[in-house]
Amino acid sequence: MQNEPYETLANGDYELEERQALRRVAGLSTELQDVTEVEYRQLRLERVVLVGVWTTGTVIDAENSLQELKLLAETAGSVVLEGVIQRRQRPDTATYIGSGKAAELRDIVIANGADTVICDGELTPGQLRQLEEVVKVKVIDRTALILDIFAQHAKSREGKAQVELAQLSYLLPRLRGWGGNLSRQVGGRAAGGVGIGGRGPGETKIELDRRRIRERMAKLRRQIGGMSIARETKRSWRHAREVPSVAIAGYTNAGKSSLLNRLTGAGVLVEDALFATLDPTVRQARTPDGRRFTLTDTVGFVRHLPHQLVEAFRSTLEEVGDADLILHVVDGSHPDPESQIAAVREVIADIEGGRGIPEIVVVNKADAADPVVLARLQMRERHSVVVSARTGAGIAELIEVIQRELPRLDHEVRLLVPYDRGDLVARAHEEGEVLSVDHTGDGTVLHARVPAVLYAELERVAKPVETV
């Protein structure tokens, strides 16, 4: 019964023991087995207990979600001591897991010597505060964890500004005073004896913090808007020259950067970690027939990607919305690749212009995947290619599919180009698709498909072949 989807069960039909118990998830502990491993760890790692609320789907779905939370916690630099899930209709509005289970969680925290509890969901400010009051250690939710990872991995000036904006957006409704901070005021009698001219109702410390956060957020939005101008300029140049754009999108750690390196030799950081690369990388590549196109490596997606991040990274995600083709990279070795595909498509649908773009599903890590899973994915996703970015298997087939799916150039020309305008022939090789070249005594007979800008220039200086 535990493997049935929750929707098929009536409210009171699932087993009482599942409803009243916290279920331990096996295999989540990352305690050091060998003392020599400490050399490769940070000096001080947070010791965490994971907790999730299972409301829909099967128990396998719930455990996979907590396994992903474990990977996120380890990426953030923590040692996972224990993981538990609770079966409920919906999260408790007060403490997320209910007061009785919160007390049990407190016992687990004490028994394991943990100093942090991470919840597999976005908690309200009230839930965070009340759960902390029960377990007596720091409590963070999935959103705060992802934001922390982004803050660690952001390298560029724009990436750091985007992450800071997302963090402030998350923090603003969750500000709270500690001790006397809630009643501390600027102005009035609480102003440290300012005296005449300083009295009045004043501004509480928390109100002052909120105002400063709003001012900082406004400044960051202006900065991000200014920094996005350079990307928009480059994008408009590519559009003018009709250079097709291919965006590499997919779940985090699916192998997007590895695929970019394999296709273009970009040398982008590749690491077996979640959200290893955040800053978009654009590289040029060519199809077998010589046509140029760009490949853009975008930030990885994840289930329940915080909306603050989607908003802050909107200028970066526009690369997906402006693409002519999307390479949707999927980890074929993952236990549940179908849910990853659904999560990525949900985010792409929220991006302006993301709907309706042609998509090629690239099932990566074929060397480590179960052949049965690969066959299932190919049956489910008819427009798919199985590859291994590590070994290079399937890459040639992928390039052929990309060539076939790129939008065709509208202008086909057969012109005689004077020899003193060989630069136009070179541009036809560079920007278009050359079908044939014939050198005659009067010039070069060029038969090609070219973008509109080059077509206009050829029309001015070249002669139709039929009139020669």
Side-chain angles (χ1 to χ4, degrees):
M1 184 174 183
Q2 66 182 15
N3 289 328
E4 293 182 41
Y6 176 75
E7 290 82 356
T8 64
L9 303 176
N11 290 343
D13 285 349
Y14 50 82
E15 295 180 11
L16 190 61
E17 61 181 11
E18 288 187 346
R19 185 176 182 178
Q20 294 181 343
L22 288 172
R23 176 191 299 275
R24 274 185 162 80
V25 179
L28 284 182
S29 175
T30 55
E31 279 282 65
L32 296 179
Q33 302 298 320
D34 181 356
V35 72
T36 59
E37 292 181 31
V38 77
E39 298 176 7
Y40 305 101
R41 302 275 185 146
Q42 296 180 17
L43 187 61
R44 176 71 176 89
L45 297 179
E46 289 187 77
R47 300 164 58 85
V48 304
V49 171
L50 311 179
V51 57
V53 171
W54 166 26
T55 57
T56 60
T58 66
V59 64
I60 296 176
D61 295 332
E63 292 185 356
N64 284 341
S65 180
L66 212 64
Q67 289 283 356
E68 183 175 272
L69 189 68
K70 172 204 172 188
L71 295 176
L72 289 168
E74 291 175 344
T75 302
S78 301
V79 174
V80 178
L81 305 174
E82 185 72 89
V84 294
I85 54 176
Q86 186 198 10
R87 182 67 179 266
R88 298 180 64 93
Q89 284 183 261
R90 63 185 63 86
D92 183 67
T93 55
T95 60
Y96 183 64
I97 57 175
S99 57
K101 297 301 163 290
E104 291 182 32
L105 180 61
R106 168 62 178 165
D107 295 337
I108 294 174
V109 167
I110 294 174
N112 287 279
D115 52 31
T116 304
V117 169
I118 303 178
C119 298
D120 191 17
E122 183 167 337
L123 274 61
T124 65
Q127 287 173 324
L128 280 170
R129 184 181 67 253
Q130 294 184 60
L131 189 56
E132 274 187 351
E133 289 175 355
V134 176
V135 299
K136 305 300 182 184
V137 295
K138 179 174 68 175
V139 176
I140 64 174
D141 59 13
R142 180 189 180 91
T143 299
L145 178 62
I146 293 175
L147 291 174
D148 183 79
I149 295 171
F150 270 61
Q152 291 182 45
H153 292 178
K155 296 294 185 292
S156 69
R157 181 165 169 259
E158 184 178 12
K160 290 178 180 178
Q162 289 168 327
V163 172
E164 184 181 354
L165 177 61
Q167 287 180 312
L168 292 176
S169 177
Y170 172 81
L171 177 64
L172 186 59
R174 291 168 174 80
L175 277 181
R176 46 182 165 156
W178 293 99
N181 285 356
L182 275 174
S183 61
R184 236 167 66 205
Q185 291 181 320
V186 177
R189 298 180 182 232
V194 172
I196 296 173
R199 298 185 178 92
E203 184 177 29
T204 63
K205 175 68 164 55
I206 198 167
E207 288 169 348
L208 182 62
D209 290 342
R210 286 195 182 112
R211 179 164 57 81
R212 286 174 174 168
I213 287 176
R214 291 191 186 99
E215 290 173 353
R216 178 62 178 165
M217 289 172 66
K219 183 178 180 181
L220 287 169
R221 287 193 179 99
R222 289 194 299 270
Q223 289 178 354
I224 293 171
M227 287 182 281
S228 65
I229 293 175
R231 185 181 297 108
E232 291 173 0
T233 302
K234 293 177 182 177
R235 197 182 300 141
S236 63
W237 179 88
R238 295 198 299 266
H239 286 172
R241 294 195 168 224
E242 295 187 23
V243 178
S245 173
V246 179
I248 303 176
Y251 214 78
T252 180
N253 208 30
K256 298 183 299 299
S257 297
S258 299
L259 184 63
L260 179 69
N261 290 344
R262 173 64 67 173
L263 290 171
T264 67
V268 177
L269 169 69
V270 173
E271 184 181 359
D272 186 15
L274 305 187
F275 303 114
T277 52
L278 301 182
D279 300 314
T281 302
V282 182
R283 292 291 185 271
Q284 287 193 13
R286 288 188 179 276
T287 59
D289 61 8
R291 189 177 178 195
R292 182 175 57 174
F293 66 96
T294 61
L295 275 166
T296 304
D297 181 19
T298 60
V299 63
F301 302 148
V302 73
R303 290 187 191 90
H304 312 303
L305 188 68
H307 65 86
Q308 297 93 341
L309 281 174
V310 175
E311 180 64 32
F313 278 74
R314 189 163 298 280
S315 61
T316 300
L317 295 174
E318 285 174 358
E319 295 285 354
V320 177
D322 285 341
D324 297 295
L325 179 66
I326 295 176
L327 298 186
H328 182 168
V329 184
V330 182
D331 182 357
S333 65
H334 190 271
D336 187 14
E338 287 87 356
S339 66
Q340 291 192 347
I341 293 174
V344 171
R345 285 175 174 162
E346 182 180 345
V347 177
I348 291 177
D350 289 338
I351 300 171
E352 184 177 353
R355 296 177 183 270
I357 299 176
E359 175 193 66
I360 301 173
V361 175
V362 183
V363 184
N364 192 24
K365 306 185 183 179
D367 53 311
D370 185 344
V372 175
V373 175
L374 296 179
R376 187 180 74 220
L377 287 172
Q378 286 186 294
M379 287 290 293
R380 178 188 175 96
E381 302 293 339
R382 295 292 185 178
H383 203 45
S384 61
V385 181
V386 175
V387 305
S388 171
R390 187 176 70 86
T391 66
I395 296 298
E397 180 186 355
L398 174 61
I399 294 175
E400 290 178 1
V401 174
I402 292 173
Q403 175 178 280
R404 190 167 61 246
E405 293 297 324
L406 286 179
R408 308 304 300 175
L409 294 166
D410 295 332
H411 303 282
E412 184 173 346
V413 297
R414 188 187 296 271
L415 299 170
L416 179 68
V417 183
Y419 281 124
D420 61 351
R421 293 309 308 268
D423 60 304
L424 295 179
V425 179
R427 281 183 57 186
H429 283 280
E430 185 78 13
E431 302 172 19
E433 181 183 347
V434 176
L435 303 177
S436 68
V437 174
D438 185 22
H439 300 288
T440 69
D442 298 318
T444 303
V445 177
L446 175 68
H447 182 200
R449 296 188 183 95
V450 295
V453 174
L454 180 56
Y455 174 74
E457 294 189 40
L458 284 168
E459 284 281 287
R460 285 199 302 269
V461 302
K463 299 177 183 179
V465 173
E466 290 77 12
T467 63
V468 178

